[in-house]
Amino acid sequence: MNNSDGKDIDMNVKKMMLYRQIGAKIAYYRTLRQMTQADLAKRVNLSRSTLGRIERGKYNQGVPISTLLDIAEGLRIELSALVTFSDEEKKVWWEIDKNML
């Protein structure tokens, strides 16, 4: 394995962690607002299964910014709430993901 392969793997892991973090925040705010996946999906014009994949960080194509904007609006929060992470959040998610790899 050469250096570029290692960097590609590292970038893929970081992307996977980021998708999971965003998805967890969506689920958190949705639950806080006592909404089901079906409720939020309908509000933002997504299928429930698509929203479920996004929440689990399993949306392989990456989540378009327009979709994140719609979700944030549907949750009545700022987009920054979904994509900004404290050092503590980063540390917790790194430990979880490190153990899963």
Side-chain angles (χ1 to χ4, degrees):
M1 178 187 298
N2 64 34
N3 256 352
S4 67
D5 290 341
K7 288 180 183 176
D8 289 343
I9 290 170
D10 188 45
M11 182 58 81
N12 287 335
V13 169
K14 287 180 181 178
K15 284 181 184 178
M16 180 181 69
M17 288 171 38
L18 182 62
Y19 294 149
R20 287 182 183 177
Q21 289 173 334
I22 291 170
K25 284 195 170 200
I26 292 168
Y28 168 78
Y29 284 108
R30 177 182 55 75
T31 302
L32 200 62
R33 285 159 178 61
Q34 300 180 341
M35 298 173 72
T36 65
Q37 283 183 339
D39 294 335
L40 180 57
K42 183 176 181 181
R43 184 178 281 187
V44 299
N45 200 29
L46 290 174
S47 70
R48 195 215 50 79
S49 64
T50 296
L51 180 61
R53 285 194 314 276
I54 292 170
E55 285 188 359
R56 290 188 310 277
K58 301 291 185 185
Y59 197 72
N60 295 333
Q61 301 91 337
V63 182
I65 192 76
S66 60
T67 300
L68 289 179
L69 285 166
D70 290 343
I71 291 170
E73 184 177 313
L75 291 169
R76 295 183 176 92
I77 60 174
E78 295 293 323
L79 175 62
S80 61
L82 297 178
V83 297
T84 305
F85 307 99
S86 69
D87 288 340
E88 188 61 29
E89 287 172 316
K90 291 175 188 175
K91 182 180 174 184
V92 168
W93 279 98
W94 176 249
E95 288 302 315
I96 290 169
D97 284 334
K98 185 172 69 172
N99 292 328
M100 294 177 72
L101 296 175

